[in-house]
Amino acid sequence: MDRLNNPWSKTDVARERELFQYFEPPTTTTPTKATQYNLSIGNEDSLTANAPSSPETTLTALAQLCALRLNASRAMVSVISKDTQYFICEATKTLDLVDNQVCDAEGDALWVGCGSVDKSGRLCEKTIELPGNPDAYPCFTVTDLSQDDRFSQLPFVTGPPNFRFYAGTPLTTRNGVNIGSLFVLDDRVRPRLSPAQERFLGTMAATVMGHLEVNREAEERKKVLRMAKGLNAFVEGKSSFDSGDRFEETTPTAPSDGPPDDTGDTYENIESAHKDTFSRAARLLNQSLNLHNHGGVCFLDTIVGPQNVAIRRTGRRALETESESDAKEPPSRARQEEEGDSSSRTSDRHPEDQTDGKVAGVISSSCSRSISASKEGSSTSDPFTPPAGRFVQSLLKHYPRGKVWILDGVEGLTSEDDTLSPSAPYPEERRQRRLSRKKAEKETLRKCFPSGKSTK
Protein backbone atom coordinates (compact mmCIF):
# COMPACT_ATOMS: atom_id res chain seq x y z
CA MET A 1 0.00 0.00 0.00
CA ASP A 2 1.30 3.41 -0.91
CA ARG A 3 1.85 5.34 2.29
CA LEU A 4 1.71 8.64 0.44
CA ASN A 5 -1.82 7.96 -0.87
CA ASN A 6 -3.33 5.90 1.91
CA PRO A 7 -7.01 5.81 2.93
CA TRP A 8 -6.38 6.21 6.65
CA SER A 9 -7.70 9.12 8.63
CA LYS A 10 -5.93 10.89 11.47
CA THR A 11 -8.26 9.06 13.85
CA ASP A 12 -7.12 5.70 12.44
CA VAL A 13 -3.45 6.55 12.86
CA ALA A 14 -3.94 8.00 16.35
CA ARG A 15 -5.89 4.89 17.40
CA GLU A 16 -3.16 2.58 16.12
CA ARG A 17 -0.52 4.57 17.98
CA GLU A 18 -2.58 4.28 21.16
CA LEU A 19 -3.25 0.58 20.56
CA PHE A 20 0.40 -0.35 20.18
CA GLN A 21 1.02 0.87 23.72
CA TYR A 22 -1.11 -2.06 24.90
CA PHE A 23 -0.82 -4.66 22.17
CA GLU A 24 2.00 -5.90 19.96
CA PRO A 25 0.84 -7.62 16.78
CA PRO A 26 2.38 -11.02 16.11
CA THR A 27 5.43 -10.83 13.87
CA THR A 28 4.49 -13.96 11.92
CA THR A 29 1.12 -15.48 11.20
CA THR A 30 0.01 -18.55 9.31
CA PRO A 31 -3.43 -19.22 7.80
CA THR A 32 -5.57 -21.51 9.91
CA LYS A 33 -7.58 -24.12 8.00
CA ALA A 34 -8.08 -26.98 10.45
CA THR A 35 -10.55 -25.58 12.94
CA GLN A 36 -14.26 -25.61 12.11
CA TYR A 37 -15.65 -22.16 11.21
CA ASN A 38 -12.21 -20.56 11.23
CA LEU A 39 -12.40 -19.41 7.62
CA SER A 40 -16.04 -18.40 7.65
CA ILE A 41 -15.16 -15.00 9.07
CA GLY A 42 -13.99 -13.90 5.64
CA ASN A 43 -12.03 -14.97 2.61
CA GLU A 44 -9.41 -17.62 3.23
CA ASP A 45 -6.66 -15.24 2.18
CA SER A 46 -7.88 -12.49 4.51
CA LEU A 47 -7.74 -14.40 7.79
CA THR A 48 -4.62 -15.33 9.69
CA ALA A 49 -4.29 -16.92 13.10
CA ASN A 50 -1.43 -17.94 15.32
CA ALA A 51 -3.33 -21.00 16.59
CA PRO A 52 -6.93 -22.07 17.22
CA SER A 53 -6.61 -21.16 20.87
CA SER A 54 -7.18 -18.34 23.34
CA PRO A 55 -4.02 -18.44 25.47
CA GLU A 56 -4.67 -15.32 27.59
CA THR A 57 -6.47 -17.05 30.46
CA THR A 58 -7.60 -13.90 32.25
CA LEU A 59 -9.20 -12.38 29.17
CA THR A 60 -10.71 -15.72 28.18
CA ALA A 61 -12.28 -16.08 31.63
CA LEU A 62 -13.75 -12.57 31.44
CA ALA A 63 -15.17 -13.33 27.98
CA GLN A 64 -16.63 -16.61 29.23
CA LEU A 65 -18.35 -14.77 32.07
CA CYS A 66 -19.97 -12.47 29.50
CA ALA A 67 -21.21 -15.44 27.48
CA LEU A 68 -22.69 -17.03 30.60
CA ARG A 69 -24.30 -13.91 32.06
CA LEU A 70 -25.71 -12.73 28.74
CA ASN A 71 -26.66 -16.25 27.58
CA ALA A 72 -24.80 -15.84 24.28
CA SER A 73 -23.10 -18.41 22.06
CA ARG A 74 -19.69 -16.82 22.50
CA ALA A 75 -17.92 -13.64 23.59
CA MET A 76 -14.77 -12.17 22.12
CA VAL A 77 -12.31 -9.32 22.57
CA SER A 78 -10.76 -7.64 19.57
CA VAL A 79 -8.52 -4.63 19.02
CA ILE A 80 -8.26 -2.62 15.83
CA SER A 81 -5.32 -0.89 14.18
CA LYS A 82 -5.74 1.46 11.24
CA ASP A 83 -6.42 -1.42 8.85
CA THR A 84 -6.53 -4.70 10.79
CA GLN A 85 -8.78 -6.27 13.44
CA TYR A 86 -6.98 -8.58 15.87
CA PHE A 87 -8.91 -11.10 17.98
CA ILE A 88 -7.07 -11.48 21.27
CA CYS A 89 -9.44 -13.84 23.06
CA GLU A 90 -12.57 -15.93 22.52
CA ALA A 91 -14.72 -17.97 24.88
CA THR A 92 -17.89 -20.03 24.87
CA LYS A 93 -19.97 -21.13 27.84
CA THR A 94 -18.26 -24.51 28.26
CA LEU A 95 -14.79 -23.85 26.84
CA ASP A 96 -12.00 -25.21 29.02
CA LEU A 97 -9.78 -22.33 30.13
CA VAL A 98 -6.65 -24.49 30.34
CA ASP A 99 -7.09 -26.65 27.24
CA ASN A 100 -8.93 -24.61 24.63
CA GLN A 101 -9.49 -27.69 22.51
CA VAL A 102 -11.88 -29.06 25.12
CA CYS A 103 -15.52 -28.02 25.55
CA ASP A 104 -18.56 -29.71 27.11
CA ALA A 105 -21.20 -28.86 24.53
CA GLU A 106 -21.48 -29.32 20.79
CA GLY A 107 -20.81 -26.11 18.91
CA ASP A 108 -18.79 -24.59 21.76
CA ALA A 109 -15.44 -25.09 20.05
CA LEU A 110 -13.35 -22.07 19.18
CA TRP A 111 -14.42 -20.24 16.05
CA VAL A 112 -11.44 -17.95 15.37
CA GLY A 113 -9.16 -18.09 18.39
CA CYS A 114 -6.41 -15.49 18.15
CA GLY A 115 -6.36 -14.26 14.57
CA SER A 116 -6.69 -11.19 12.41
CA VAL A 117 -8.81 -9.92 9.53
CA ASP A 118 -9.11 -6.72 7.54
CA LYS A 119 -11.21 -4.31 9.61
CA SER A 120 -13.17 -2.82 6.72
CA GLY A 121 -16.92 -3.48 6.92
CA ARG A 122 -16.73 -5.35 10.21
CA LEU A 123 -19.13 -5.06 13.11
CA CYS A 124 -16.43 -3.97 15.52
CA GLU A 125 -15.46 -1.11 13.21
CA LYS A 126 -18.91 0.34 13.91
CA THR A 127 -18.54 -0.34 17.62
CA ILE A 128 -15.35 1.68 18.06
CA GLU A 129 -16.98 4.62 16.29
CA LEU A 130 -19.46 5.04 19.15
CA PRO A 131 -18.98 8.33 21.03
CA GLY A 132 -18.41 8.33 24.76
CA ASN A 133 -21.37 8.71 27.09
CA PRO A 134 -20.80 9.81 30.70
CA ASP A 135 -24.25 8.52 31.76
CA ALA A 136 -24.19 5.05 30.21
CA TYR A 137 -21.91 2.58 28.47
CA PRO A 138 -22.25 2.84 24.67
CA CYS A 139 -23.41 -0.38 23.02
CA PHE A 140 -23.70 -1.19 19.32
CA THR A 141 -26.40 -3.83 18.74
CA VAL A 142 -27.76 -5.67 15.71
CA THR A 143 -30.66 -7.92 16.66
CA ASP A 144 -30.82 -9.73 13.30
CA LEU A 145 -27.71 -9.61 11.14
CA SER A 146 -29.46 -11.33 8.23
CA GLN A 147 -31.89 -8.41 7.93
CA ASP A 148 -29.30 -5.64 8.14
CA ASP A 149 -28.08 -4.59 4.70
CA ARG A 150 -24.68 -3.59 6.14
CA PHE A 151 -23.88 -7.07 7.44
CA SER A 152 -26.28 -9.54 5.82
CA GLN A 153 -23.68 -10.70 3.28
CA LEU A 154 -20.88 -11.34 5.74
CA PRO A 155 -19.64 -14.96 5.44
CA PHE A 156 -20.36 -15.83 9.07
CA VAL A 157 -23.97 -14.67 8.55
CA THR A 158 -24.70 -16.40 5.25
CA GLY A 159 -22.80 -19.55 6.29
CA PRO A 160 -21.74 -21.39 9.45
CA PRO A 161 -21.89 -20.52 12.26
CA ASN A 162 -24.84 -18.40 10.96
CA PHE A 163 -24.65 -15.62 13.53
CA ARG A 164 -27.73 -13.47 13.93
CA PHE A 165 -27.20 -11.34 17.02
CA TYR A 166 -24.33 -8.98 17.89
CA ALA A 167 -23.82 -6.63 20.83
CA GLY A 168 -20.54 -4.88 21.49
CA THR A 169 -19.10 -2.05 23.55
CA PRO A 170 -15.81 -0.18 23.02
CA LEU A 171 -12.57 -0.68 24.92
CA THR A 172 -11.63 2.88 25.85
CA THR A 173 -8.19 3.90 27.11
CA ARG A 174 -7.42 6.52 29.73
CA ASN A 175 -6.88 8.98 26.91
CA GLY A 176 -10.42 8.44 25.66
CA VAL A 177 -9.40 6.49 22.54
CA ASN A 178 -11.43 3.44 21.50
CA ILE A 179 -8.90 0.76 20.57
CA GLY A 180 -11.18 -2.27 20.36
CA SER A 181 -14.34 -3.91 21.61
CA LEU A 182 -15.81 -6.58 23.84
CA PHE A 183 -18.75 -8.25 22.11
CA VAL A 184 -21.11 -11.22 22.24
CA LEU A 185 -22.49 -13.23 19.31
CA ASP A 186 -25.49 -15.52 19.09
CA ASP A 187 -26.89 -17.79 16.40
CA ARG A 188 -30.48 -16.73 17.10
CA VAL A 189 -32.38 -13.51 16.69
CA ARG A 190 -32.68 -11.74 20.02
CA PRO A 191 -34.08 -8.49 21.35
CA ARG A 192 -31.72 -5.72 22.39
CA LEU A 193 -29.92 -6.22 25.71
CA SER A 194 -31.63 -4.73 28.71
CA PRO A 195 -30.09 -1.63 30.34
CA ALA A 196 -28.76 -3.84 33.14
CA GLN A 197 -27.18 -6.23 30.63
CA GLU A 198 -25.61 -3.38 28.66
CA ARG A 199 -24.26 -1.97 31.92
CA PHE A 200 -22.77 -5.38 32.73
CA LEU A 201 -21.15 -5.61 29.28
CA GLY A 202 -19.72 -2.11 29.72
CA THR A 203 -18.40 -2.97 33.18
CA MET A 204 -16.68 -6.06 31.79
CA ALA A 205 -15.16 -3.97 28.98
CA ALA A 206 -13.76 -1.58 31.61
CA THR A 207 -12.37 -4.62 33.45
CA VAL A 208 -10.71 -5.89 30.27
CA MET A 209 -9.22 -2.45 29.69
CA GLY A 210 -7.97 -2.43 33.28
CA HIS A 211 -6.24 -5.75 32.66
CA LEU A 212 -4.56 -4.33 29.56
CA GLU A 213 -3.49 -1.29 31.59
CA VAL A 214 -1.87 -3.53 34.20
CA ASN A 215 -0.04 -5.44 31.47
CA ARG A 216 1.13 -2.18 29.94
CA GLU A 217 2.47 -0.90 33.26
CA ALA A 218 4.31 -4.19 33.75
CA GLU A 219 5.89 -3.81 30.30
CA GLU A 220 6.90 -0.22 31.10
CA ARG A 221 8.65 -1.43 34.25
CA LYS A 222 10.44 -4.06 32.18
CA LYS A 223 11.59 -1.34 29.78
CA VAL A 224 13.01 0.71 32.64
CA LEU A 225 14.83 -2.34 33.99
CA ARG A 226 16.19 -3.19 30.55
CA MET A 227 17.46 0.35 30.07
CA ALA A 228 19.15 0.26 33.49
CA LYS A 229 20.65 -3.11 32.60
CA GLY A 230 21.92 -1.68 29.33
CA LEU A 231 23.51 1.32 30.99
CA ASN A 232 25.17 -0.95 33.53
CA ALA A 233 26.48 -3.22 30.78
CA PHE A 234 27.84 -0.20 28.89
CA VAL A 235 29.66 1.11 31.97
CA GLU A 236 31.13 -2.36 32.57
CA GLY A 237 32.47 -2.44 29.02
CA LYS A 238 30.21 -5.24 27.79
CA SER A 239 29.01 -5.45 24.20
CA SER A 240 25.62 -7.05 24.88
CA PHE A 241 23.28 -8.28 27.61
CA ASP A 242 23.90 -11.94 26.98
CA SER A 243 27.62 -11.81 26.46
CA GLY A 244 30.42 -11.39 28.92
CA ASP A 245 32.66 -10.16 26.12
CA ARG A 246 34.27 -6.84 26.77
CA PHE A 247 35.79 -4.39 24.38
CA GLU A 248 39.41 -3.54 25.02
CA GLU A 249 39.22 0.16 25.77
CA THR A 250 42.24 2.14 24.61
CA THR A 251 43.25 4.94 26.92
CA PRO A 252 44.56 7.95 24.95
CA THR A 253 48.05 8.99 25.97
CA ALA A 254 48.84 12.55 26.92
CA PRO A 255 50.41 14.57 24.08
CA SER A 256 54.16 15.11 24.39
CA ASP A 257 56.09 18.30 23.75
CA GLY A 258 57.98 16.71 20.88
CA PRO A 259 56.82 16.11 17.32
CA PRO A 260 53.97 13.63 16.83
CA ASP A 261 54.77 10.01 16.15
CA ASP A 262 54.97 9.43 12.40
CA THR A 263 53.37 6.01 12.76
CA GLY A 264 50.08 7.52 13.87
CA ASP A 265 49.42 4.60 16.19
CA THR A 266 48.12 6.81 18.98
CA TYR A 267 45.46 8.42 16.81
CA GLU A 268 44.50 5.10 15.27
CA ASN A 269 44.06 3.62 18.73
CA ILE A 270 41.92 6.55 19.80
CA GLU A 271 39.77 6.26 16.68
CA SER A 272 39.42 2.50 17.19
CA ALA A 273 38.40 3.02 20.81
CA HIS A 274 35.76 5.55 19.78
CA LYS A 275 34.35 3.20 17.16
CA ASP A 276 34.20 0.37 19.68
CA THR A 277 32.40 2.61 22.16
CA PHE A 278 29.75 3.63 19.63
CA SER A 279 29.40 0.03 18.45
CA ARG A 280 28.71 -1.14 21.99
CA ALA A 281 26.32 1.75 22.56
CA ALA A 282 24.32 0.95 19.41
CA ARG A 283 24.01 -2.73 20.23
CA LEU A 284 23.09 -2.15 23.87
CA LEU A 285 20.53 0.52 22.96
CA ASN A 286 19.01 -1.88 20.46
CA GLN A 287 18.70 -4.53 23.16
CA SER A 288 17.58 -2.09 25.87
CA LEU A 289 14.77 -0.75 23.67
CA ASN A 290 13.90 -4.28 22.55
CA LEU A 291 14.17 -3.36 18.87
CA HIS A 292 15.76 -6.58 17.71
CA ASN A 293 12.64 -7.64 15.75
CA HIS A 294 11.36 -4.27 14.61
CA GLY A 295 14.04 -1.63 14.12
CA GLY A 296 17.48 -0.50 15.05
CA VAL A 297 19.83 2.20 16.31
CA CYS A 298 22.40 4.22 14.40
CA PHE A 299 24.85 6.97 15.32
CA LEU A 300 25.46 9.60 12.66
CA ASP A 301 28.40 11.98 12.32
CA THR A 302 27.14 15.45 11.45
CA ILE A 303 30.57 16.98 10.71
CA VAL A 304 30.34 17.08 6.94
CA GLY A 305 32.84 19.57 5.59
CA PRO A 306 35.08 22.63 5.93
CA GLN A 307 32.09 24.77 6.80
CA ASN A 308 31.94 23.03 10.16
CA VAL A 309 35.52 23.95 10.93
CA ALA A 310 34.56 27.60 10.66
CA ILE A 311 31.51 26.94 12.78
CA ARG A 312 33.63 25.31 15.47
CA ARG A 313 36.13 28.17 15.43
CA THR A 314 33.45 30.84 15.71
CA GLY A 315 31.07 28.82 17.83
CA ARG A 316 32.00 30.43 21.13
CA ARG A 317 31.67 33.93 19.73
CA ALA A 318 28.29 33.03 18.18
CA LEU A 319 27.05 31.63 21.48
CA GLU A 320 28.16 34.74 23.33
CA THR A 321 26.38 36.96 20.79
CA GLU A 322 23.23 34.85 21.07
CA SER A 323 23.36 34.98 24.87
CA GLU A 324 23.64 38.79 24.77
CA SER A 325 20.68 38.98 22.41
CA ASP A 326 18.57 36.65 24.55
CA ALA A 327 19.38 38.71 27.64
CA LYS A 328 18.03 41.83 25.94
CA GLU A 329 14.88 40.13 24.63
CA PRO A 330 13.62 37.06 26.52
CA PRO A 331 12.03 34.52 24.15
CA SER A 332 8.26 34.24 24.21
CA ARG A 333 6.50 30.97 24.93
CA ALA A 334 5.45 30.68 21.30
CA ARG A 335 9.09 31.02 20.24
CA GLN A 336 10.12 28.31 22.70
CA GLU A 337 7.44 25.99 21.39
CA GLU A 338 8.56 26.70 17.86
CA GLU A 339 11.78 24.88 18.78
CA GLY A 340 14.04 27.31 17.03
CA ASP A 341 11.95 27.37 13.86
CA SER A 342 13.26 30.79 12.79
CA SER A 343 16.50 30.94 14.73
CA SER A 344 18.74 31.09 11.68
CA ARG A 345 18.58 31.30 7.93
CA THR A 346 20.68 28.18 7.56
CA SER A 347 18.38 26.02 9.67
CA ASP A 348 15.27 27.52 8.04
CA ARG A 349 16.24 26.18 4.65
CA HIS A 350 13.69 23.76 3.23
CA PRO A 351 14.77 20.18 4.04
CA GLU A 352 14.81 19.30 0.35
CA ASP A 353 17.41 22.04 -0.12
CA GLN A 354 19.57 20.45 2.57
CA THR A 355 19.92 17.03 0.95
CA ASP A 356 22.82 18.17 -1.19
CA GLY A 357 26.44 17.85 -0.13
CA LYS A 358 28.04 15.07 1.87
CA VAL A 359 25.94 12.53 3.68
CA ALA A 360 26.23 12.09 7.41
CA GLY A 361 28.72 9.39 8.25
CA VAL A 362 27.44 6.27 9.99
CA ILE A 363 29.61 5.88 13.07
CA SER A 364 27.86 2.69 14.16
CA SER A 365 24.54 0.92 13.75
CA SER A 366 22.66 -2.08 15.10
CA CYS A 367 19.57 -3.21 13.18
CA SER A 368 17.11 -6.09 13.37
CA ARG A 369 17.56 -9.10 11.15
CA SER A 370 14.18 -8.54 9.47
CA ILE A 371 15.11 -5.01 8.41
CA SER A 372 18.57 -6.10 7.31
CA ALA A 373 17.03 -8.90 5.26
CA SER A 374 14.72 -6.44 3.49
CA LYS A 375 17.81 -4.63 2.22
CA GLU A 376 19.53 -7.81 1.05
CA GLY A 377 21.12 -7.35 -2.32
CA SER A 378 21.48 -3.62 -1.85
CA SER A 379 24.73 -1.86 -2.62
CA THR A 380 24.88 -0.51 0.93
CA SER A 381 25.65 -2.52 4.05
CA ASP A 382 23.09 -0.72 6.20
CA PRO A 383 19.29 -1.16 5.84
CA PHE A 384 18.90 2.60 5.52
CA THR A 385 20.30 5.49 3.53
CA PRO A 386 22.19 8.04 5.64
CA PRO A 387 20.71 11.53 5.27
CA ALA A 388 22.74 14.56 4.28
CA GLY A 389 24.82 16.00 7.09
CA ARG A 390 23.23 19.43 6.71
CA PHE A 391 19.78 17.89 7.02
CA VAL A 392 20.77 16.20 10.31
CA GLN A 393 22.21 19.49 11.56
CA SER A 394 18.92 21.18 10.69
CA LEU A 395 16.98 18.61 12.73
CA LEU A 396 19.28 19.09 15.70
CA LYS A 397 18.79 22.84 15.42
CA HIS A 398 15.01 22.69 15.24
CA TYR A 399 14.54 19.89 17.77
CA PRO A 400 17.27 20.11 20.42
CA ARG A 401 15.17 17.95 22.76
CA GLY A 402 14.45 15.32 20.15
CA LYS A 403 11.44 14.52 18.00
CA VAL A 404 9.42 11.46 16.98
CA TRP A 405 8.36 11.23 13.33
CA ILE A 406 5.55 8.84 12.45
CA LEU A 407 6.53 7.69 8.97
CA ASP A 408 3.73 5.19 8.39
CA GLY A 409 0.69 7.44 8.59
CA VAL A 410 -1.25 10.34 7.15
CA GLU A 411 0.22 13.74 6.46
CA GLY A 412 0.09 16.14 9.36
CA LEU A 413 0.87 13.57 12.07
CA THR A 414 4.60 13.93 12.48
CA SER A 415 5.12 13.42 16.18
CA GLU A 416 3.50 12.04 19.27
CA ASP A 417 3.06 15.64 20.38
CA ASP A 418 1.02 16.50 17.27
CA THR A 419 -1.71 13.89 17.69
CA LEU A 420 -5.06 15.47 16.91
CA SER A 421 -4.02 18.63 18.72
CA PRO A 422 -5.13 22.09 17.57
CA SER A 423 -2.63 24.10 15.61
CA ALA A 424 -0.29 26.31 17.58
CA PRO A 425 -1.24 30.01 17.63
CA TYR A 426 1.24 31.09 14.98
CA PRO A 427 0.53 33.61 12.19
CA GLU A 428 -0.91 31.81 9.17
CA GLU A 429 2.10 32.38 6.91
CA ARG A 430 4.51 31.17 9.56
CA ARG A 431 2.30 28.19 10.36
CA GLN A 432 2.12 27.15 6.70
CA ARG A 433 5.89 27.47 6.37
CA ARG A 434 6.35 25.34 9.46
CA LEU A 435 3.93 22.65 8.21
CA SER A 436 5.65 22.62 4.83
CA ARG A 437 9.03 22.13 6.47
CA LYS A 438 7.74 19.31 8.68
CA LYS A 439 6.16 17.56 5.70
CA ALA A 440 9.43 17.77 3.78
CA GLU A 441 11.35 16.47 6.81
CA LYS A 442 9.01 13.51 6.98
CA GLU A 443 9.42 12.69 3.30
CA THR A 444 13.21 12.93 3.54
CA LEU A 445 13.23 10.56 6.52
CA ARG A 446 10.95 8.15 4.65
CA LYS A 447 13.49 7.97 1.86
CA CYS A 448 16.31 7.39 4.33
CA PHE A 449 14.43 4.76 6.37
CA PRO A 450 12.11 3.02 3.87
CA SER A 451 11.27 0.16 6.24
CA GLY A 452 10.62 2.36 9.28
CA LYS A 453 7.26 3.29 10.75
CA SER A 454 8.73 5.86 13.12
CA THR A 455 12.09 7.44 13.85
CA LYS A 456 13.47 9.61 16.61
Side-chain angles (χ1 to χ4, degrees):
M1 183 177 293
D2 186 357
R3 290 182 296 187
L4 299 180
N5 299 288
N6 62 64
W8 306 311
S9 67
K10 289 186 177 182
T11 302
D12 291 331
V13 178
R15 182 182 63 250
E16 178 175 87
R17 194 181 308 166
E18 184 82 1
L19 168 63
F20 287 170
Q21 297 183 47
Y22 300 89
F23 170 77
E24 181 177 345
T27 55
T28 58
T29 54
T30 55
T32 299
K33 302 181 180 180
T35 306
Q36 185 182 17
Y37 303 150
N38 264 359
L39 299 179
S40 64
I41 193 170
N43 296 329
E44 181 173 334
D45 294 335
S46 69
L47 184 142
T48 59
N50 290 328
S53 63
S54 185
E56 172 57 273
T57 305
T58 301
L59 291 180
T60 305
L62 293 174
Q64 188 172 70
L65 180 59
C66 289
L68 290 168
R69 282 286 301 270
L70 301 178
N71 193 27
S73 297
R74 65 192 66 238
M76 304 177 71
V77 175
S78 73
V79 292
I80 298 180
S81 66
K82 62 178 180 290
D83 54 9
T84 304
Q85 178 177 359
Y86 300 93
F87 301 97
I88 59 176
C89 85
E90 177 187 2
T92 59
K93 297 177 185 177
T94 64
L95 184 74
D96 190 287
L97 297 179
V98 177
D99 185 355
N100 295 156
Q101 305 304 312
V102 177
C103 57
D104 297 338
E106 184 178 357
D108 270 10
L110 286 175
W111 170 47
V112 174
C114 291
S116 63
V117 294
D118 185 271
K119 80 173 178 66
S120 179
R122 305 294 174 179
L123 288 155
C124 294
E125 184 182 18
K126 302 298 182 182
T127 304
I128 63 173
E129 292 175 355
L130 294 175
N133 186 345
D135 301 323
Y137 289 108
C139 186
F140 179 74
T141 304
V142 181
T143 58
D144 188 352
L145 292 169
S146 65
Q147 299 301 313
D148 193 308
D149 293 339
R150 297 170 297 177
F151 312 113
S152 59
Q153 297 305 310
L154 290 174
F156 54 81
V157 177
T158 59
N162 301 108
F163 289 129
R164 292 294 179 266
F165 177 83
Y166 170 94
T169 189
L171 301 177
T172 308
T173 68
R174 295 175 181 175
N175 295 327
V177 180
N178 294 337
I179 62 171
S181 63
L182 167 63
F183 60 95
V184 294
L185 293 163
D186 216 332
D187 56 6
R188 55 194 171 92
V189 178
R190 294 177 46 171
R192 187 181 180 92
L193 298 178
S194 67
Q197 289 175 322
E198 289 187 354
R199 185 166 59 252
F200 170 78
L201 187 63
T203 301
M204 295 304 295
T207 304
V208 169
M209 195 65 239
H211 175 70
L212 297 180
E213 291 279 3
V214 170
N215 287 349
R216 175 192 175 186
E217 292 172 358
E219 287 299 319
E220 291 296 328
R221 288 193 293 271
K222 288 181 182 178
K223 290 179 181 179
V224 173
L225 291 175
R226 287 184 65 86
M227 185 58 71
K229 184 177 179 180
L231 290 172
N232 183 65
F234 181 77
V235 171
E236 292 182 352
K238 295 181 179 179
S239 59
S240 67
F241 283 3
D242 305 322
S243 173
D245 297 339
R246 296 172 181 267
F247 279 81
E248 292 296 332
E249 298 289 353
T250 303
T251 304
T253 58
S256 62
D257 295 334
D261 188 354
D262 292 336
T263 62
D265 288 341
T266 300
Y267 298 105
E268 290 179 0
N269 290 340
I270 294 176
E271 182 179 1
S272 175
H274 289 170
K275 288 183 178 180
D276 289 346
T277 299
F278 279 107
S279 177
R280 290 194 301 110
R283 178 180 294 185
L284 287 169
L285 270 176
N286 195 339
Q287 293 182 335
S288 298
L289 298 173
N290 202 23
L291 302 175
H292 55 279
N293 290 327
H294 311 287
V297 175
C298 68
F299 287 96
L300 301 176
D301 184 1
T302 61
I303 306 301
V304 296
Q307 178 185 4
N308 299 96
V309 176
I311 292 176
R312 288 195 298 269
R313 290 175 179 174
T314 60
R316 183 171 182 178
R317 181 178 179 182
L319 288 175
E320 291 174 352
T321 303
E322 184 177 353
S323 299
E324 293 174 0
S325 175
D326 291 343
K328 296 178 181 179
E329 183 180 358
S332 63
R333 181 175 181 83
R335 180 182 173 187
Q336 291 174 335
E337 293 177 352
E338 183 64 12
E339 299 172 309
D341 191 48
S342 59
S343 58
S344 68
R345 291 185 178 272
T346 301
S347 61
D348 274 344
R349 292 176 61 196
H350 201 276
E352 292 182 355
D353 297 333
Q354 298 174 358
T355 57
D356 56 341
K358 296 183 180 180
V359 299
V362 179
I363 302 175
S364 182
S365 66
S366 175
C367 301
S368 68
R369 293 180 180 179
S370 59
I371 293 182
S372 298
S374 67
K375 191 87 171 188
E376 188 175 356
S378 172
S379 59
T380 60
S381 59
D382 294 309
F384 57 88
T385 302
R390 290 181 180 178
F391 174 70
V392 178
Q393 290 174 345
S394 173
L395 297 184
L396 294 175
K397 182 69 176 179
H398 285 111
Y399 313 107
R401 297 183 179 180
K403 184 77 166 179
V404 177
W405 285 268
I406 306 302
L407 305 182
D408 188 19
V410 297
E411 302 304 330
L413 283 180
T414 58
S415 170
E416 294 176 341
D417 299 329
D418 297 334
T419 306
L420 301 181
S421 61
S423 300
Y426 303 125
E428 181 62 23
E429 181 180 356
R430 187 180 182 188
R431 189 177 72 87
Q432 290 299 328
R433 186 172 68 250
R434 184 171 183 261
L435 291 176
S436 176
R437 173 176 58 78
K438 287 192 171 186
K439 181 179 179 179
E441 289 172 353
K442 188 174 181 180
E443 293 309 313
T444 301
L445 290 170
R446 275 176 172 167
K447 294 176 182 178
C448 295
F449 304 95
S451 301
K453 289 190 175 183
S454 66
T455 185
K456 182 174 182 179

